[in-house]
Amino acid sequence: MTEFSPALLRAAALRSLGAKSPIQDVLNRLGFVQADPIRAPARAQDLTLMQRVKGYRAGDLERLYPQLDAEEDMIPNYGFVPRHVQALLHPREVGPTRIEREHPQILDEVRALLEGRPEVHPKELTALLGRGRVGNAWGGQSSASTRALDTLHYRGEARVTRREKGVRLYARAPHLQALRDHPLPEAKRLSRTIHLLAELYGPLPEASLGYLTSLSRFGFPHLHTQLRAAFRQAVREELHSARVDGVRYVWPAEWTLPDAPTPRGVRLIGPFDPLVWDRRRFAHLHGWTYRFEAYTPAPKRTLGYYALPVFQAEKAVGWANLRVEKGELLAEVQLIPGVRRTAAFEKALNAELERYRAFLAPVQGS
């Protein structure tokens, strides 16, 4: 009988890295890549793909997006999904929103403008519609036309075609209209979503999978109860599980955990990467608390503005803060107590920093 130890689970978690592959293969394999606009030293989606895509450079996803089988959508947070995953999320039923209450005609006006154009920039809509500004989900203000585009995108009536200097451009989404006409069976949509989360973030504590399921209510706003039922069925009947130090872990039934290879070398992992996203699992398996502190007041930070966990082999042994100044990559690396900066560690760290220099080359020149 296999003994499931923290070391075994740490090695198994590294499955999400896999062998470096072309970007489309990685998107298909992961199923979801979380996005975040902070660039320190690069955006979250780029940091995730850098560790998995051969020769990846910062900004490649945005640059290649129009040619990829990829869409921007919500599961369990905002990010990028291949269309076979987006098919699980739609049709999405949403009640009246603030933008509709404040501007009752605006969605119909935006629909009409989308109908006659290959793509639309939010500024173009603002000029044409002439509406003011409304509150957004982040406590700030956005133009009413931008909020209308966001609403239609969330509902599946529009899609993001590309980004221009970070700004999303939109068009109609006929492939999602086809899903509204002929949706996948509801049970299949929800079951596949739970299994996608278990595979992407697993092995993980059952409680963490439950939290991911709760977050995914934004992807399934009208199916909260059914989504929780799919989670309960999966952990009860479909996923494998074991208790490790009193914590119940779950993972896909087709995985054989003892076969998980343990990589060598040093890696600097982004804060939204599937490997470190679950802070509960991180603390249990690595023995220390990792925090994302970009939104923490500077005097209260302990790790830094955008600390990247440092992995040596399968274990997180510290963190690094990276920044580019005058074209040079600067790294501040801290190790947890008990970890020595040996010659082997320094050599592997320098190799990883060289990979980051190549990855960040477009950022340095921007």
Side-chain angles (χ1 to χ4, degrees):
M1 180 177 180
T2 301
E3 180 180 349
F4 294 101
S5 64
L8 181 62
L9 295 179
R10 287 196 300 267
L14 291 166
R15 286 174 178 267
S16 73
L17 292 174
K20 289 206 171 185
S21 308
I23 187 170
Q24 187 66 63
D25 292 348
V26 172
L27 288 171
N28 291 342
R29 177 169 60 81
L30 295 181
F32 170 73
V33 175
Q34 184 169 339
D36 189 84
I38 296 176
R39 192 170 76 178
R43 296 182 178 92
Q45 55 268 35
D46 289 323
L47 292 170
T48 297
L49 293 172
M50 175 260 190
Q51 293 291 350
R52 296 164 174 84
V53 176
K54 186 175 182 180
Y56 189 85
R57 297 292 184 268
D60 277 357
L61 177 59
E62 184 174 319
R63 180 175 61 83
L64 298 173
Y65 176 85
Q67 290 80 49
L68 294 171
D69 172 11
E71 298 288 340
E72 296 192 27
D73 216 311
M74 176 77 72
I75 172 182
N77 300 290
Y78 192 85
F80 299 85
V81 298
R83 284 191 174 185
H84 75 268
V85 170
Q86 193 182 40
L88 305 177
L89 306 174
H90 295 271
R92 181 180 284 153
E93 298 176 18
V94 186
T97 61
R98 177 178 176 178
I99 187 67
E100 293 171 271
R101 292 191 296 270
E102 295 184 5
H103 301 277
Q105 305 301 318
I106 193 169
L107 292 191
D108 285 337
E109 294 173 356
V110 174
R111 288 186 186 103
L113 289 170
L114 286 173
E115 188 69 33
R117 290 169 170 78
E119 65 179 9
V120 172
H121 193 292
K123 284 187 177 180
E124 180 183 4
L125 283 188
T126 300
L128 291 169
L129 299 179
R131 296 299 204 285
R133 302 181 71 79
V134 296
N136 59 36
W138 300 274
Q141 295 283 312
S142 299
S143 70
S145 54
T146 297
R147 296 294 293 135
L149 281 171
D150 289 344
T151 298
L152 292 179
H153 178 218
Y154 183 60
R155 290 182 173 180
E157 297 184 54
R159 65 177 295 267
V160 176
T161 58
R162 61 189 176 93
R163 291 184 180 233
E164 189 174 278
K165 295 182 179 179
V167 176
R168 289 173 291 197
L169 277 65
Y170 295 84
R172 292 178 60 251
H175 70 292
L176 295 179
Q177 177 61 54
L179 285 174
R180 285 194 290 275
D181 295 337
H182 303 285
L184 295 174
E186 182 180 289
K188 179 182 289 188
R189 292 169 60 192
L190 300 177
S191 175
R192 285 185 178 178
T193 298
I194 299 300
H195 283 264
L196 183 154
L197 296 174
E199 184 166 354
L200 178 60
Y201 295 100
L204 76 170
E206 180 183 324
S208 297
L209 182 58
Y211 177 55
L212 284 162
T213 301
S214 296
L215 286 179
S216 296
R217 69 187 184 276
F218 297 110
F220 299 92
H222 61 300
L223 297 173
H224 294 183
T225 302
Q226 298 91 324
L227 187 63
R228 292 298 301 180
F231 160 72
R232 289 192 296 269
Q233 178 176 333
V235 298
R236 184 175 62 246
E237 303 176 8
E238 299 162 6
L239 301 174
H240 278 182
S241 66
R243 286 196 174 274
V244 180
D245 298 337
V247 179
R248 186 169 189 255
Y249 276 76
V250 295
W251 60 87
E254 61 270 21
W255 287 10
T256 304
L257 262 57
D259 291 343
T262 300
R264 298 180 178 181
V266 168
R267 292 177 186 252
L268 308 185
I269 302 296
F272 299 103
D273 191 287
L275 189 56
V276 303
W277 186 92
D278 180 15
R279 307 301 194 247
R280 179 189 286 108
R281 183 182 77 174
F282 189 99
H284 179 226
L285 297 186
H286 300 286
W288 59 281
T289 299
Y290 167 64
R291 298 183 180 90
F292 178 65
E293 299 178 327
Y295 302 110
T296 301
K300 296 183 178 181
R301 292 175 191 150
T302 58
L303 305 184
Y305 174 72
Y306 203 84
L308 310 179
V310 176
F311 277 70
Q312 184 178 26
E314 92 291 353
K315 192 167 185 180
V317 297
W319 63 94
N321 284 276
L322 305 182
R323 68 183 189 277
V324 177
E325 290 187 3
K326 298 180 180 180
E328 293 294 326
L329 177 65
L330 304 179
E332 298 175 0
V333 179
Q334 297 287 329
L335 302 183
I336 61 175
V339 177
R340 295 173 54 241
R341 297 187 69 137
T342 64
F345 173 84
E346 292 292 344
K347 181 178 179 181
L349 174 63
N350 288 333
E352 176 74 342
L353 292 175
E354 281 302 313
R355 287 189 287 270
Y356 264 83
R357 290 185 180 95
F359 158 68
L360 291 168
V363 175
Q364 294 175 6
S366 64

